[in-house]
Amino acid sequence: MKIHEYQAKNILNNHGVPVPQGEVVNTYSEAVEVAERLGGKVVVKAQVHAGGRGKAGGVKLVYSSNDAGEVCNSLLNSNLVTIQTGPDGVPVDKVLIEEIIDVQKELYVAFTIDGVKKNIVAIVSEFGGMEIEEVAQNNPDKVLTLEIDSSLGASPYKARKLANFLNIDAKLIRSAASVISSLYDVFVANDCSLVEINPLVITGDGRILAADAKITIDDDALFRHPDLFEFYDPAQEDPFEKQAAEFGISYVKLDGDIGCLVNGAGLAMATMDVTRSSGASPANFLDVGGGADESKVSEALKIILLDEKVKKIFINIFGGILKCDIVARGILDASRNIDREFPELVVRMLGTNFDEGREILMKSDLNISLVNDLREASDSLKSD
Ligand code: GDP
Ligand code: MN
C-alpha cells in the first residue's frame, strides 16, 4: 500500500528524520493561511501516489501566500499526469504547503527489498533529484547498493559506508549516517517494501532534510499496522484494481489486449510469459485464487472486460480445488451478464472435473478455442 508524502513525512519525523516545516491542506483559504504562517514563500506539492510530480507541474515554488492559494486551487480537483501514472493521471485531493528550503545538494537514499538477493538493500547516490533514473542508467557507478544483514540492522559501519559514498562535507557524515540508520528503522518498524527519500537535501546552512518521501507498506503485513491502514486512499487506486480487490481477486492492469484469467500467481506469471512469447501482449495479470467459486470467476471476467482494449481472453486453469466445471459455469455466467460483445476465448484447462467443464463450454454458443496445451494456446493467441 502506498501512502502520501505528507503521511510519510510524519512517520519520518517520529523517527527523528528532519523534514521541512509544512502542513497539508485542501482549500484555497487554508493554503493561504498556512503559506502566511510559513512566511509567504513556500513550495506547493500535489499529494498523489506517484513520483515525477516535479516535472509534471505538481511541485511549484511560489513567493506569496496568495499565489500559494492560486496554485493550490489549480492543483486541487485536477488529475495529475506524471511519467509514473497512466494517461488519465490521478486525482489531487490534497496539497502539501512547505517552507522553501535552500537546496545546496540533492542526494538519493532508499531502502527496499531485493527479491533476487532475498534481502533488504540500501541504495544511495550523491546525484539525487529528478534525474535519478538517468543516473542509474548512464552512471551506475554513481549509485551504491548495499545489502543489509537483518540480524545486524543498519550497523554504524554500514550507515557510515553509505554516507561516505555521498561525497558530502566530512562534517556532515555523522548526521547523514544517523539519518540513514533512522530510515532503516522506519523501514523495519513499518514493514515497508520501500522507503525512498529523493531528494535528501543538504541545505546552505549545513542541515540534512528529507524534502520528499515515498513509503510503501507491504500489504501482507498491514494486519499488524491498523494505524497505517487508515492511510489507505482508494481515490489513488486504479479503478479496475480496486474493484478486483473488493472481490479478493489479484489483478494488475497492463497495456496489452489479451485478457488473462488464471488460478495461481505463478501460473499467472507463466501465462503472461506464454502470451508475450507468442507475440501478443497481456492486458492484465489476474489470479482468481485457489478457492474461487463460480461468481468469482464471473466477476474476474467482468473486470477483465471493463478494459475496452481487450480483444481476446486467455483462460489458463489448473483445476485442483478450483474445479474446471466451476470455471466453465463462471464463464457462462459472465457471458450472460455483460453488455459488450464477448470476445474469443482461448481456454486451456486441466485437472478436476475437466470433462464436465469441457462439455459445458462445447455446448455453449461462445467463441471458444479449447486448447490442449500451452503450445496450442500460443498458436491461437498468435493467429491474428
Ligand atoms: P517528485 O518530482 O514527485 O519526486 O517531487 P519532489 O518532492 O522530489 O520535488 C521535485 C523537485 O522539486 C525536487 O527534486 C527539488 O529540486 C524541488 N524542490 C522541492 N522542494 C523544494 C524546496 O523547498 N526548495 C527548492 N529550492 N527546491 C525544492
Ligand atoms: Mn522526489
Side-chain angles (χ1 to χ4, degrees):
M1 182 185 83
K2 290 182 181 174
I3 65 175
H4 285 293
E5 176 190 9
Y6 74 93
Q7 297 162 333
K9 281 178 166 168
N10 263 337
I11 296 177
L12 295 184
N13 196 31
N14 293 339
H15 279 84
V17 177
V19 296
Q21 275 189 67
E23 225 172 287
V24 71
V25 300
N26 60 4
T27 63
Y28 176 92
S29 56
E30 280 179 332
V32 172
E33 198 185 301
V34 173
E36 234 150 56
R37 207 178 320 136
L38 294 173
K41 297 177 183 154
V42 291
V43 193
V44 182
K45 310 184 78 178
Q47 297 300 287
V48 291
H49 285 180
R53 295 167 303 166
K55 285 187 176 169
V59 176
K60 291 211 167 114
L61 273 62
V62 299
Y63 300 95
S64 77
S65 47
N66 277 339
D67 285 355
E70 294 299 332
V71 170
C72 167
N73 252 5
S74 70
L75 287 173
L76 281 176
N77 305 314
S78 73
N79 268 23
L80 189 69
V81 182
T82 84
I83 192 161
Q84 292 185 8
T85 68
D88 297 332
V90 277
V92 183
D93 297 325
K94 292 196 176 77
V95 301
L96 177 63
I97 312 275
E98 278 186 342
E99 62 173 328
I100 292 189
I101 51 174
D102 170 20
V103 177
Q104 198 185 60
K105 191 165 170 136
E106 299 191 316
L107 311 169
Y108 179 94
V109 177
F111 285 89
T112 189
I113 309 243
D114 184 321
V116 174
K117 298 191 173 104
K118 298 181 187 156
N119 214 343
I120 299 172
V121 291
I123 305 171
V124 301
S125 173
E126 64 170 299
F127 297 106
M130 295 194 278
E131 314 290 342
I132 188 66
E133 282 83 4
E134 283 89 87
V135 175
Q137 188 84 47
N138 304 329
N139 297 89
D141 54 320
K142 295 296 177 196
V143 179
L144 174 66
T145 304
L146 278 189
E147 280 185 67
I148 309 292
D149 179 339
S150 54
S151 61
L152 298 174
S155 59
Y157 157 76
K158 277 262 160 83
R160 246 191 337 269
K161 188 166 175 184
L162 291 160
N164 269 320
F165 187 78
L166 295 172
N167 194 21
I168 54 179
D169 198 324
K171 291 198 297 282
L172 290 170
I173 297 285
R174 266 176 86 102
S175 42
S178 142
V179 165
I180 289 170
S181 359
S182 301
L183 291 172
Y184 176 79
D185 294 342
V186 168
F187 188 92
V188 173
N190 297 286
D191 287 315
C192 299
S193 51
L194 176 73
V195 171
E196 182 189 55
I197 311 303
N198 184 32
L200 179 70
V201 163
I202 310 274
T203 63
D205 55 1
R207 290 180 301 145
I208 301 183
L209 288 176
D212 189 11
K214 289 202 168 47
I215 290 185
T216 307
I217 319 283
D218 182 344
D219 288 339
D220 290 328
L222 268 175
F223 73 98
R224 301 207 289 202
H225 304 280
D227 48 328
L228 293 176
F229 192 70
E230 284 169 24
F231 292 156
Y232 176 64
D233 184 352
Q236 299 289 312
E237 303 292 320
D238 176 272
F240 299 172
E241 291 178 16
K242 200 165 58 187
Q243 187 169 338
E246 279 163 21
F247 289 98
I249 296 165
S250 311
Y251 170 97
V252 179
K253 191 169 176 318
L254 301 168
D255 53 13
D257 53 18
I258 306 287
C260 297
L261 191 157
V262 191
N263 66 325
L267 191 58
M269 299 292 274
T271 302
M272 296 194 308
D273 284 348
V274 170
T275 306
R276 273 235 179 271
S277 65
S278 77
S281 175
N284 63 275
F285 165 95
L286 190 151
D287 169 15
V288 75
D293 57 12
E294 188 181 319
S295 74
K296 207 163 158 191
V297 171
S298 171
E299 286 309 326
L301 277 169
K302 288 181 204 160
I303 289 162
I304 289 172
L305 287 167
L306 287 175
D307 181 350
E308 284 166 8
K309 272 200 348 213
V310 169
K311 60 163 201 213
K312 220 181 239 190
I313 299 180
F314 181 12
I315 298 180
N316 190 9
I317 299 293
F318 190 77
I321 299 170
L322 174 57
K323 303 181 182 71
C324 295
D325 65 307
I326 299 286
V327 174
R329 286 179 225 279
I331 294 172
L332 289 198
D333 183 74
S335 71
R336 291 192 201 106
N337 292 296
I338 227 155
D339 293 337
R340 65 177 275 191
E341 196 190 332
F342 221 63
E344 180 190 342
L345 305 177
V346 177
V347 182
R348 180 256 185 178
M349 288 194 310
L350 262 185
T352 318
N353 293 1
F354 168 71
D355 291 331
E356 207 178 332
R358 178 194 161 89
E359 203 178 311
I360 294 171
L361 292 181
M362 297 308 267
K363 273 198 209 144
S364 77
D365 50 9
L366 294 170
N367 179 3
I368 297 181
S369 314
L370 205 52
V371 297
N372 292 313
D373 56 30
L374 291 180
R375 192 177 302 279
E376 278 182 31
S378 172
D379 290 341
S380 296
L381 294 172
K382 209 178 301 181
S383 68
D384 51 30

